Amino acid sequence: MTLESVDETKTPQDPDLHVLLSGQYVRIWEARNIEEFKQTFLDCVECHYRAYATGGILHRGISEDSLMIHRSFSNLDVEGPTREDGKSTRPISGPAQEGSIIPPCIGRLNDFDMAAKVNNQGQFLVTSASHRTGTLPFMALDLLKPGKRVLHVYRHDLESFFYILVWAAVHYDLKHGKRKSCSPKVLQSWLNESTCFLSKHRFMSDSLAENDSIQQHIPDDAKRQIWDEWVVPLHILFKGAFVHRSTQADKHLPVDHETLDGLITFETFMRAVRVKPRGLDGLK
């Protein structure tokens, strides 16, 4: 055995250091105004659909904490979805200091840790969770119903997005970018596992026009721009689908579990809020 001489003229190779940087995001209730909130919400709904339609990834944990806002000067040329009149929904955010530029926002969907890989039939291929997933106030009725567990499908996440809008209309102060720390009594039952299902079931069964127990807690601007424009038509969409399922069950007729016979899909959701999605041609 011999010892090799060391060439002291060579310096050891420095180790590589890799640093991953990402933009600082803010919570959706920290939106500067209702327009920025709505744009962030739409971005997240579209992101959720793209992940599902192109990657077979179902989030399964949609909540208010999943929706984030990213503001960056590199986003100045970003276009938003368009309304039915053809105008972009991307807002010019404000207010701003005189002479300053506030860049447009981009919604970021977060928290995919409980997501599942699904096939074309919506069946789970890979998932990190073996239990029911979700946050009580935003969980779909099917997943809260006592008894036999049902398969978590795409429309359940859409229902979670709907409940976020209800929650936001009541809890968010979008003039000051804040969230109320306490829920009104009418929504406190959504926070309790023993009462959440029945309370949401009543909410879905009632007519929003006749029930003002929630609306009395909504500021005028949110009442008009979130509740009237989005919550009411989406409530009609989901309520109609649930009524259809009950009617079919009474007739002993089958119902497609994944979409409730095509009534709850990404397309019907976006039509209800009267927004045309961006660049989704060719997706399922």
Side-chain angles (χ1 to χ4, degrees):
M1 178 177 180
T2 60
L3 296 177
E4 296 182 356
S5 61
V6 177
D7 187 349
E8 296 182 353
T9 63
K10 293 183 178 180
T11 58
Q13 184 176 359
D14 293 333
D16 291 331
L17 176 63
H18 299 275
V19 178
L20 178 63
L21 298 178
S22 64
Q24 183 177 7
Y25 302 161
V26 297
R27 303 292 187 181
I28 192 170
W29 59 80
E30 297 179 86
R32 298 186 183 100
N33 47 50
I34 291 181
E35 290 76 17
E36 187 173 79
F37 164 83
K38 294 176 77 171
Q39 182 56 57
T40 297
F41 182 87
L42 289 172
D43 287 346
C44 291
V45 172
E46 286 193 354
C47 173
H48 176 266
Y49 177 70
R50 284 177 179 270
Y52 178 73
T54 64
I57 301 298
L58 183 60
H59 191 286
R60 300 202 310 151
I62 298 296
S63 74
E64 62 177 350
D65 290 324
S66 307
L67 280 58
M68 311 291 288
I69 302 173
H70 179 211
R71 302 187 185 110
S72 170
F73 283 89
S74 63
N75 299 334
L76 287 173
D77 60 349
V78 173
E79 292 293 333
T82 55
R83 301 194 302 259
E84 288 188 342
D85 58 10
K87 296 181 179 179
S88 174
T89 62
R90 183 72 60 187
I92 300 175
S93 301
Q97 298 294 326
E98 184 176 354
S100 66
I101 298 176
I102 295 183
C105 67
I106 292 180
R108 302 292 191 187
L109 187 61
N110 194 25
D111 295 337
F112 277 85
D113 49 320
M114 291 293 107
K117 179 73 174 177
V118 298
N119 60 18
N120 292 335
Q121 288 73 45
Q123 298 171 326
F124 292 171
L125 299 178
V126 179
T127 176
S128 60
S130 58
H131 53 82
R132 184 185 67 176
T133 59
T135 304
L136 276 178
F138 314 111
M139 288 178 66
L141 275 173
D142 286 354
L143 306 178
L144 292 169
K145 188 175 182 179
K148 183 180 178 181
R149 285 181 56 188
V150 300
L151 178 66
H152 191 137
V153 294
Y154 175 80
R155 68 173 170 86
H156 292 141
D157 280 5
L158 287 180
E159 192 176 337
S160 294
F161 277 114
F162 167 66
Y163 293 134
I164 289 175
L165 290 175
V166 176
W167 203 256
V170 174
H171 292 86
Y172 295 179
D173 176 1
L174 294 171
K175 286 185 176 180
H176 304 95
K178 296 180 180 180
R179 179 182 60 169
K180 297 177 183 177
S181 57
C182 297
S183 298
K185 186 175 181 180
V186 66
L187 287 181
Q188 288 179 10
S189 55
W190 289 27
L191 298 167
N192 189 311
E193 189 166 3
S194 63
T195 58
C196 188
F197 171 75
L198 290 178
S199 181
K200 280 187 176 180
H201 188 274
R202 284 194 298 269
F203 171 75
M204 279 296 195
S205 302
D206 290 344
S207 169
L208 294 188
E210 300 173 358
N211 186 348
D212 65 351
S213 59
I214 294 179
Q215 296 182 57
Q216 62 180 316
H217 300 283
I218 303 175
D220 290 341
D221 52 350
K223 169 69 168 59
R224 182 179 65 258
Q225 297 182 62
I226 298 178
W227 190 268
D228 292 344
E229 292 184 6
W230 281 7
V231 171
V232 171
L234 285 172
H235 183 271
I236 293 172
L237 176 71
F238 282 100
K239 180 180 178 180
F242 295 153
V243 169
H244 168 76
R245 179 171 60 182
S246 297
T247 301
Q248 293 296 94
D250 291 341
K251 297 177 181 179
H252 304 287
L253 296 175
V255 175
D256 169 38
H257 173 71
E258 187 171 358
T259 66
L260 297 187
D261 291 343
L263 295 176
I264 305 297
T265 66
F266 172 75
E267 291 79 11
T268 61
F269 188 99
M270 296 298 279
R271 279 201 298 269
V273 298
R274 303 185 66 182
V275 172
K276 181 180 178 180
R278 296 162 291 176
L280 300 180
D281 294 341
L283 298 185
K284 70 176 183 179

